Amino acid sequence: MRYIAVLAALALPLAPALAQESAKPAVEPKPAALIADGVPEVPVELTAATRPYMENRSAAFVGWNEVDRSMLIATRFGNTSQIHRVAMPMGARQQLTFEAEPVGLGAWSPKSADIMLVQKDVGGNEFFQIYALKDGRLDLLTDGKSRNGYNAWSRDGTTLAYTSTRRNGRDSDIYVMNPRDAKSNRMLAQVEGGGWAVNDFAPDMSWAIVSQYVSVEKADLFRLDMATGALAPIGDHKKAIAQSGAEFAPDGTIWQTSDDGSDFQRLGTLDPATGKFTAKGPAEKWDVTSFNIADDGSFIAYVVNEAGMSKLRLLDPKSGAVRTVDLPAGVIGGVSIAPWGDVGFSLTSARSATDAYSVDPKTMKVTRWTQSETGGLDPLKNVEPELVKVKSFDGLEVSGFLYRPDAAKFPGKRPLIMNVHGGPESQSRPGFLGRTNYLVNEMGIAVFFPNVRGSTGYGKKFVSLDNGPFKREDSVRDMGAFLDLFAKDQNLDASRFGLTGGSYGGYMCYAAATHYADKLRANLCVVAISNFVTFLENTQEYRRDLRRVEYGDERDPAQRKKLIEISPLTRVADIKKPLFVVTGANDPRVPASEADQIVAAVRKNGGTAWHLVGTNEGHGFAKKENADYNFWASLLFWKQYLLN
């Protein structure tokens, strides 16, 4: 009895503490790979409220199996996206890869489909390796260390072309191999620089057409001798021509897209002897973004980007006749024609997650192959975006897509978050918002996606308007034009504007925090450049020269001076509002040091800076558990500093 009494007495002082502990709100466990520095814990009430929005999926078309006519898609059922097989339209999604890291690329060998190749990296480091899938396991085909890039299969399925930096870690040399025989692996051509890729093999396999991406405004083509590895230039490489997708038709004609003689990318043929480009089909007023040629050469499927919306057209190369596939308004990707003629592709829109489809070129009937889950939510209730245009400081028209919350559900003036895309050679387009729908549908926050100067999709003149250090801040001023426009909008609350962005959009996020501190309440910047000089000095060597073309050369004294001047870190004292910085520790593009230095500087000045680091992530969070926690933390940030 005395023993029991002693225990009871010892327990009495603990009772208030236990009661206090039990009263503490329950929190969501933080994934082990995340470091949350200055970020508050996430209450489980928030995770429960957002759960349906976190469980949406997508199914991107990846390719065809030429033997059993099944489709390959990339979708996620666990923590990462993996390759799946779909045997028939709306059939079960049979998972083929089971990796801890995302696998988004898969390709069956043409003709025999006896081997499938996949590509993946580790921890988002983008040092991709190529594997063969054998008995449910991945058999490594590359060296396991360098950065490798899958390029093209030969039509007979015996030869794979790929690039690799294994020689010196910088130059993307060209290799070929039969993936069934490891001893066949060999370097075919030694090159200088990055951006190299084998586009396609000639029908007789005597040569291949190779491209070197120099910048968004210029790509050079070469003839690669398959016997000797000799590279011969095609056309005048002194000319700045943006060209891509060079592909052989069965008769040996080379088709490609090119802006030669035009402000936009057009579809046409290339004379390999002279480099002359001849546009084919109707005169499109927008970029042709992708195409594929039928195995029998009877038609070509191509996609046009009309102000952000995709149009899929089928061209008869003999007659020049064009038919447009009847599809809902949205964004198309991954077009590939099966040997039997069906055209496979992905389609997404504001009210439909990315899913896989096909179209029969004879009947023009569209068939849906997948219907991805949206967490039980009705996607038709998502708002459609409106196209917003404004004249910037110099009279240039810039535009973007605005998603407004339902006025009946959220009356009065609403807060707004501007979300700037990366690249900068990219474009915000009206696809499915995923988690972001929670901001619009449940929090009543308007979300705007601008396409400032330097964005693709509006012609080669427009995309060049931010090039180099001396034009860089013109795009920042475009953001200011939008902020001024929205401040006059009777349905938006100018006292509650925030801004976010990733990669180059992350730089724009920092820049906005310095230039527009009086117009913004908070900024959430993801994998962002804070100092152009340290970024260029520390980004991976294989991509450094490509970035110098866009941003400027830090080795040139005048450019270096300007790069330092326009860097957000130089103006960190102007950051007066709360900052949330998200970083991938393994990012090969924007090193984690870019985040570390600006977080330290803001805090040194007495400012608020949350910092979330993914130790197993790279240029953005690719693992679901990390992306989910990142989103929850961002909601806490917006609630505290934008809505409060």
Side-chain angles (χ1 to χ4, degrees), residues 21 24-30 36-47 610 629 632-637 640:
E21 185 68 23
K24 183 180 179 181
V27 297
E28 181 72 21
K30 179 177 62 63
D37 179 11
V39 180
E41 294 179 313
V42 174
V44 294
E45 289 85 355
L46 178 61
T47 64
W610 297 11
Y629 199 88
W632 291 323
S634 73
L635 294 184
L636 294 179
F637 182 76
Q640 182 169 343

Side-chain angles (χ1 to χ4, degrees), residues 35-41 579-580 603 608-612 640-641:
I35 299 173
D37 179 11
V39 180
E41 294 179 313
L579 192 68
F580 186 0
R603 290 175 176 174
T608 297
W610 297 11
H611 194 192
L612 186 66
Q640 182 169 343
Y641 297 114

